[in-house]
Amino acid sequence: MTDDKTLSDTPDAVFRFSLSADGMKLGVNRYFPPNGGKGPSVGLIKAQVAAAGVQFPVDEDAAQRVVDAIEEGREFTGIALVHGIPAKEPRDASLTALGDLEYPVFPNDQFARFRPAQKAENGQTINGKEIKPKGNFVPEELTVEVGDNVTWDAVSESYVSTVWGIARLKDDVICVDQIPYITEDEVSVRGNLHHKDFRGTPITPARVDKEMRDMGVLIDMDMDLMDAKLKQAKELDIPLLDQVFVEGAHPVPGRDGWLEYLVATREDAGIEDDSGRLDFRNRGAYPMVEIDQIIGRLHLPTPGEGGIDIYGKTIPAHGGKDLVIHLGENVTLLDDKITYQSKAKGVVVMDRGVLSVTDCLIIHGNVDLESGNVKVEEGSVKVKGSIQAGFSVSAPKHVIVEGSIESATVHAGGLVEVAGGILMPEGGQVTCGGDVIANFATNANIKADGDVFIANEVQNSIIQTKGRLYASSGKGIIIGGGIITGKGLEANELGSELGVATRVGVLINDEEDEKLHLERAKVVKAIKKVDDALGTEPPEVILMRTPEAKKAAVAEVLKHRSTLLQRRKVLSEQINQLNLTRQKELEGVTISAKRFLHPGISVRFGKKVFEIQKRMEASVLYWDPTNRKIAIK
């Protein structure tokens, strides 16, 4: 771009320029030293570029590099002094995560970049030619508003977190849900704990401790405990929910003066229920004591212990109040002025501040409104009459009833013996840790850890016993209802000629079995809930059809479903193994009918069921382990 005439006309240094093939770059091709005039400089380059008819500005930094290269004797070609204007291609607006936002961000983290939409614009070469963009479409706009705990950095075109939390985009608002939160009483800081941040950098105890200090927490964090929790989160590869990051101490209020009872007291007027009504049936327990037995010891009120909040401030505690006790019948206060002793065998009663010991408990009539519910913490209960509907009797040892149990609740740690029958047309239940003995049972509900002996009829009753049921000393007939035993049953007659449906069986089961089945049912229900919402396709397919804004949340749900599926498999294997163990335990257990076995009887051993289709005389049903079925002999 510099001709020979220019070289002869000027004593100054002369630059010869060349244009790239696409017309977008202009650089120095040759250089001619000055002939007594000005040497190479940025200003001289700019003047000669303008003189050459170039209207675009000169990059002064590039021009200085050319001057420096000439003065130092280095190569100066290849340095672009002037650039054309490139065409701008149309571009949709975009929001790009700068890490895995399933994991937390921390203060000052740039976690998402926003690029606004760009319209197409023509460019121009240095020599004035117009450049058309390759794309020709209207770019799609994207509206994103700054929400809580987020700032916008215009320089990096990114969103910056101001807190430790989880970034979310919801309803076109980008925000960060803060993870650590201070409890209402300001005693602890809690939150979900991840083992790494959104960039994959491990979260350390020191990093958590810094966040606590930045929140103004002054008490020390247990660094070893936090380290153990972070390791656990890493091993499980899931966040630990609602963890304590740092904790002070709650104030411990002083305890009121109190009497350390041998057992609890009983309220004569009844006890208030959850709805605020006075339950005249429920009057508490009948505590039993012996002669010269220590009833209790009076404790003085305590002042309480102050607590400390996360800011290091002391939280005051309230002191307790004095308790005044008056001596009643058969009670003496020992010389230490705090120990109370019984002077007779009987029931301990505390009424309006008066401590007494009455005669030994015997219910001389029925258990009804006059007596209220009967509950003792020591020994047994003997009822001279009957236990009427709606009432209850409870004893840690035995319950003996000379009458009947009529739609009532009876609980005994040992034996329940009823001279009459157990009739429960309006509900009720008998539970005991030993045997149950009764003359007959109608619509009864019985649970026993020992054996059950019913002399005559068992009609439409539900009986569960871990032992064996005997109904053969009298009529010994079982009709209707359901009988489940752990060691089989023996009766004179099962069912009736009318074909009344009657279920009898042996089920060797325990709490472990029930827990496993319940847990598997919950897991299956949870899996179905996810499948109903997202479908049963492979995760990658579900994610492909999920909108970008919802992918993170859906991925989290799919990860949870994968955990549930694995848990269901483990539970099913455990249940199958238990079933094999239980079937082994069925060997040697029998269900025996000494006289007749009628149609309508459904016999169950474990999960196997056998239906009696015709009347059979004296028969014994048992479990055949070889053929894995119920057999008859």
Side-chain angles (χ1 to χ4, degrees):
M1 285 190 172
T2 302
D3 52 26
D4 295 336
K5 184 175 183 300
T6 302
L7 294 173
S8 61
D9 289 349
T10 177
D12 298 334
V14 176
F15 297 91
R16 176 170 289 173
F17 306 104
S18 63
L19 188 65
S20 62
D22 60 2
M24 295 298 288
K25 295 179 182 179
L26 179 73
V28 175
N29 184 33
R30 295 184 63 186
Y31 167 72
F32 299 93
N35 187 15
K38 298 177 181 178
S41 68
V42 173
L44 188 61
I45 291 176
K46 291 174 68 175
Q48 292 185 13
V49 167
V54 176
Q55 297 180 354
F56 289 84
V58 174
D59 183 340
E60 294 187 4
D61 290 338
Q64 185 61 53
R65 292 200 303 274
V66 170
V67 172
D68 293 343
I70 291 173
E71 291 178 345
E72 296 171 5
R74 294 184 286 103
E75 179 62 45
F76 53 80
T77 59
I79 300 175
L81 297 171
V82 180
H83 295 271
I85 301 173
K88 290 185 178 180
E89 296 295 333
R91 181 186 66 203
D92 292 334
S94 64
L95 181 65
T96 305
L98 300 180
D100 186 350
L101 296 184
E102 288 187 11
Y103 293 90
V105 297
F106 282 79
N108 301 318
D109 279 344
Q110 297 176 0
F111 63 88
R113 177 165 289 115
F114 177 74
R115 292 290 176 83
Q118 177 175 280
K119 295 181 180 179
E121 292 184 11
N122 293 336
Q124 187 177 359
T125 64
I126 296 172
N127 54 355
K129 293 182 180 180
E130 188 176 63
I131 303 174
K132 297 286 186 181
K134 297 178 181 179
N136 185 21
F137 62 89
V138 177
E140 183 177 344
E141 298 286 350
L142 178 62
T143 301
V144 180
E145 296 182 10
V146 174
D148 294 338
N149 305 318
V150 174
T151 60
W152 167 251
D153 182 11
V155 175
S156 62
E157 294 185 326
S158 62
Y159 293 100
V160 182
S161 172
T162 61
V163 298
W164 169 20
I166 298 295
R168 306 287 185 199
L169 178 64
K170 184 177 181 181
D171 299 329
D172 297 329
V173 176
I174 194 167
C175 63
V176 174
D177 297 334
Q178 185 167 340
I179 285 178
Y181 69 91
I182 299 172
T183 56
E184 186 176 352
D185 56 14
E186 297 185 341
V187 172
S188 64
V189 181
R190 307 176 68 95
N192 298 342
L193 188 63
H194 302 72
H195 70 283
K196 63 181 180 180
D197 66 12
F198 79 115
R199 291 194 181 100
T201 304
I203 296 176
T204 63
R207 198 171 180 186
V208 177
D209 186 58
K210 180 182 180 303
E211 293 302 317
M212 296 299 99
R213 300 304 181 188
D214 291 344
M215 291 175 67
V217 176
L218 295 181
I219 61 175
D220 292 333
M221 184 179 76
D222 188 333
M223 303 292 277
D224 292 336
L225 179 59
M226 179 55 64
D227 186 54
K229 289 182 177 182
L230 289 168
K231 288 178 179 178
Q232 182 183 12
K234 181 178 180 181
E235 291 173 0
L236 298 175
D237 197 23
I238 58 173
L240 305 182
L241 302 182
D242 201 27
Q243 298 296 299
V244 174
F245 298 153
V246 64
E247 186 170 35
H250 291 88
V252 179
R255 185 171 185 179
D256 292 340
W258 60 288
L259 183 64
E260 183 182 357
Y261 290 105
L262 178 64
V263 288
T265 58
R266 176 177 166 84
E267 297 293 338
D268 289 338
I271 295 177
E272 192 175 280
D273 61 19
D274 294 337
S275 65
R277 292 182 176 182
L278 198 62
D279 185 352
F280 293 101
R281 294 185 176 91
N282 187 9
R283 302 177 192 179
Y286 284 95
M288 304 292 292
V289 293
E290 301 293 331
I291 297 175
D292 295 331
Q293 181 178 345
I294 300 300
I295 298 171
R297 187 169 286 107
L298 178 64
H299 291 261
L300 298 178
T302 61
E305 298 179 7
I308 185 171
D309 66 17
I310 60 172
Y311 305 113
K313 298 177 183 178
T314 299
I315 306 173
H318 299 288
K321 299 177 182 179
D322 289 318
L323 174 65
V324 178
I325 298 177
H326 301 283
L327 296 180
E329 61 175 326
N330 298 322
V331 173
T332 186
L333 180 62
L334 300 185
D335 292 341
D336 61 6
K337 303 302 181 183
I338 61 171
T339 304
Y340 295 86
Q341 185 179 41
S342 169
K343 295 192 294 184
K345 182 178 180 180
V347 177
V348 177
V349 175
M350 181 72 161
D351 184 19
R352 298 180 183 181
V354 178
L355 182 63
S356 305
V357 173
T358 66
D359 294 337
C360 182
L361 175 67
I362 293 179
I363 306 301
H364 293 282
N366 297 328
V367 174
D368 52 19
L369 276 174
E370 183 177 349
S371 66
N373 294 335
V374 176
K375 181 179 181 181
V376 295
E377 302 290 350
E378 294 285 341
S380 305
V381 171
K382 185 173 184 178
V383 180
K384 293 286 189 176
S386 297
I387 305 175
Q388 295 191 350
F391 289 86
S392 66
V393 174
S394 176
K397 289 187 178 179
H398 312 306
V399 173
I400 310 298
V401 182
E402 294 186 358
S404 298
I405 298 176
E406 304 170 2
S407 297
T409 300
V410 175
H411 175 79
L415 168 75
V416 172
E417 183 174 350
V418 186
I422 302 174
L423 305 89
M424 295 182 172
E426 300 174 5
Q429 187 177 60
V430 172
T431 60
C432 70
D435 297 341
V436 173
I437 302 172
N439 189 31
F440 62 90
T442 302
N443 297 311
N445 188 345
I446 299 171
K447 286 187 176 181
D449 288 347
D451 296 328
V452 175
F453 300 85
I454 307 294
N456 293 294
E457 297 90 347
V458 179
Q459 294 186 357
N460 299 318
S461 295
I462 302 298
I463 299 177
Q464 299 179 53
T465 173
K466 293 182 180 180
R468 188 171 176 85
L469 184 144
Y470 296 90
S472 57
S473 62
K475 291 183 179 180
I477 301 175
I478 299 176
I479 303 174
I483 312 295
I484 295 295
T485 74
K487 298 181 179 179
L489 67 83
E490 179 181 316
N492 289 333
E493 196 167 340
L494 290 177
S496 70
E497 295 179 354
L498 298 177
V500 176
T502 305
R503 304 183 310 277
V504 297
V506 178
L507 182 59
I508 300 174
N509 206 342
D510 60 20
E511 292 183 1
E512 181 184 2
D513 302 62
E514 294 299 326
K515 288 179 180 178
L516 288 175
H517 283 285
L518 286 173
E519 184 180 355
R520 184 172 67 175
K522 290 180 180 179
V523 170
V524 170
K525 184 177 180 181
I527 293 172
K528 185 178 185 302
K529 185 176 181 181
V530 175
D531 290 345
D532 290 344
L534 300 180
T536 57
E537 301 162 296
E540 57 270 18
V541 175
I542 294 174
L543 287 173
M544 285 180 63
R545 57 176 171 77
T546 301
E548 190 67 31
K550 296 182 179 180
K551 278 189 176 180
V554 172
E556 188 174 351
V557 174
L558 290 173
K559 187 176 180 180
H560 178 59
R561 183 178 69 173
S562 177
T563 302
L564 290 173
L565 290 171
Q566 183 62 32
R567 183 56 182 162
R568 183 182 65 180
K569 180 180 177 182
V570 171
L571 289 170
S572 296
E573 291 173 353
Q574 291 177 344
I575 289 171
N576 289 337
Q577 186 59 44
L578 277 175
N579 287 338
L580 293 175
T581 302
R582 301 303 178 224
Q583 288 185 13
K584 183 69 175 178
E585 294 173 356
L586 288 175
E587 297 180 19
V589 178
T590 63
I591 293 177
S592 172
K594 291 185 175 181
R595 290 202 294 263
F596 298 108
L597 193 63
H598 294 281
I601 296 293
S602 176
V603 181
R604 177 179 179 180
F605 276 75
K607 291 188 176 181
K608 297 291 185 178
V609 178
F610 183 82
E611 303 289 344
I612 303 300
Q613 303 294 336
K614 61 180 181 179
R615 177 177 171 177
M616 305 173 65
E617 295 185 356
S619 302
V620 176
L621 295 97
Y622 65 96
W623 176 251
D624 180 354
T626 303
N627 298 308
R628 297 176 61 80
K629 69 175 184 178
I630 299 171
I632 302 176
K633 61 181 179 180

